Structures are given as structure tokens and as C-alpha cells.
């Protein structure tokens, strides 16, 4: 029976949290636009289980719009201290509203206000405009909870392919590839480095 790649990911992620000086949960997210042109940016992993890998963002951002037109995406972790990378590919589905609400409620008040203040990926005339908007929102929500903005969403990448790469001497690296079968089970194999 093949190893469960989600359990293997948890083990590697645990080691990364112990080893990386900064942001072990940082991952590159690749999306494509409506004609297949790729773009990447970093996001933070905010949840992981057998269902997939969750991150949060503005659904009206460039990545949000690209995911709305093409839900196929890829994630990449590079844990430099461990000399390991994990490549994850699959389709992205929005998390439920209750899940997004629950995570939004755990964010700092400043981050919650920031989510309202930022038209992520849109042109910004001056930094002062953004700061002023933030201050206005701070005053507006004084003394009450900040609700989740309707455009602020979580996305879950449901993996169909996960590759674990680890550095070996003389560039004889190890590559373990897991691919999902029609019945949802995982097949494990190796790739030449
Ligand atoms: C380490 C790191 C973590 C980040 N995490 C997030 C995140 O979780 N969500 C997010 O929307 N942007 C995050 N960003 C900012 C994005 O990289 C990006 O600038 C922003 O989301 C706009 O991307 P877009 O215009 O392609 O939509 C992070 C940046 C860095 C460097």
C-alpha cells in the first residue's frame, strides 16, 4: 500500500516548522489567466488535511480572478534549511463561508481591517490614500467586531499530484511522486532527478 502523501506532508511540514527561521508555511501559488499565461506569488498555508491545502486571499485579486476563470493551480514549498521541496498540483475550490468566517475571526484586528482596506491587486495612487482608508475603517468599526469582507475568501487546493523532492549528494536527489487514482487512492512512484 502506498504511503499517504498527506501524512508524509504533515511529517515534512512538522520538520520544516522546527527548522525554518521564517515562514515555513509560505508557498508559491501558480495560477493561469484565461489564455493560459502563468503567474506566481507567495501565500501562507492556513490549513491542511486529507481534503487539501487551504490559503486565504481576496477573491477580486489577480489570483482570485485567475482562479475564477481556471481553477487548476499549483503550490510549491521550498524549505531551504532542509533542502526539500514539495510540488502540489490540482484544482482549487472555495472553502465554505463558515470556514472562512471562523478563520477570519482568528486574525488580528489590524489584519481584519487591512482586508477591508485593500483592493488587492488594483492600482493604488498613493500610499497615503491606503493609510487614510485604513484609519477611516478603524474609526468605523471602533467598539465592534470586524466582519469578514465578502470578497475575502479561503481556497482549498485539492491535490491530484504531490511530489516530494529531497536533496542528496552529487545531485542524486530523491523524487517521490504520488498521483491520485479514480477511486481516490494514491499511487506512489519515483522520478529520475
Ligand atoms: C511570505 C509571503 C506570504 C504571503 N501570504 C499571502 C496570503 O496568505 N494571502 C495573500 O492574499 N497574499 C499573501 N502574500 C502577498 C502575495 O504574494 C501577493 O502579493 C498578493 O496576494 C497579490 O497577489 P495577486 O496580485 O497575484 O493576486 C504573501 C507574500 C509573502 C512574501
Amino acid at each position: 500500500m502506498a504511503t499517504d502523501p498527506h501524512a508524509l506532508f504533515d511529517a515534512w511540514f512538522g520538520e520544516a516548522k522546527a527548522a525554518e527561521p521564517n515562514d515555513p508555511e509560505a508557498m508559491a501559488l501558480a495560477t493561469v489567466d484565461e489564455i493560459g499565461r502563468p503567474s506566481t506569488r507567495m501565500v501562507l498555508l492556513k490549513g491542511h488535511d486529507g481534503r487539501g491545502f487551504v490559503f486565504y486571499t481576496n477573491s477580486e485579486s489577480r489570483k482570485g480572478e485567475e482562479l475564477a476563470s481556471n481553477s487548476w493551480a499549483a503550490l510549491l514549498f521550498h524549505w531551504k534549511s532542509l533542502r526539500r521541496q514539495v510540488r502540489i498540483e490540482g484544482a482549487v475550490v472555495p472553502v465554505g463561508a463558515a470556514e472562512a468566517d471562523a478563520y477570519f475571526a482568528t486574525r488580528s484586528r489590524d489584519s481584519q481591517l487591512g482586508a477591508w482596506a485593500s483592493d488587492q491587486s488594483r492600482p493604488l495612487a498613493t500610499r497615503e490614500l491606503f493609510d487614510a482608508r485604513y484609519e477611516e475603517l478603524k474609526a468605523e468599526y471602533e467598539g465592534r467586531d470586524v466582519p469578514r469582507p465578502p470578497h475575502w475568501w479561503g481556497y482549498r487546493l485539492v491535490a491530484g499530484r504531490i511530489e516530494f523532492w529531497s536533496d542528496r549528494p552529487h545531485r542524486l536527489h530523491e523524487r517521490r511522486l504520488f498521483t491520485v487514482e479514480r477511486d481516490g487512492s494514491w499511487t506512489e512512484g519515483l522520478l529520475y532527478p
Side-chain angles (χ1 to χ4, degrees), residues 109 113 137-146:
R109 197 172 172 82
L113 291 168
L137 284 156
K138 204 169 160 179
E140 187 182 332
Y141 286 105
E142 181 75 54
R144 56 197 181 101
D145 286 346
V146 182

Side-chain angles (χ1 to χ4, degrees), residues 23 26 39-44 46 55-58 61-64 120-121:
D23 299 336
S39 66
T40 55
R41 79 290 288 153
M42 303 302 291
V43 292
L44 296 176
K46 290 297 178 185
F55 58 90
Y56 287 87
T57 194
N58 185 322
S61 65
R62 179 176 177 191
K63 74 182 92 49
Q120 196 176 57
S121 313

Side-chain angles (χ1 to χ4, degrees), residues 87-131:
R87 297 170 62 172
I88 302 161
E89 290 155 39
V92 166
V93 288
V95 304
E99 189 174 343
D101 285 342
Y103 175 66
F104 189 77
T106 70
R107 287 169 50 107
S108 71
R109 197 172 172 82
D110 287 344
S111 305
Q112 291 176 336
L113 291 168
W116 278 103
S118 174
D119 285 336
Q120 196 176 57
S121 313
R122 302 273 179 259
L124 171 63
T126 65
R127 178 77 203 183
E128 289 68 31
L129 203 68
F130 182 45
D131 292 343

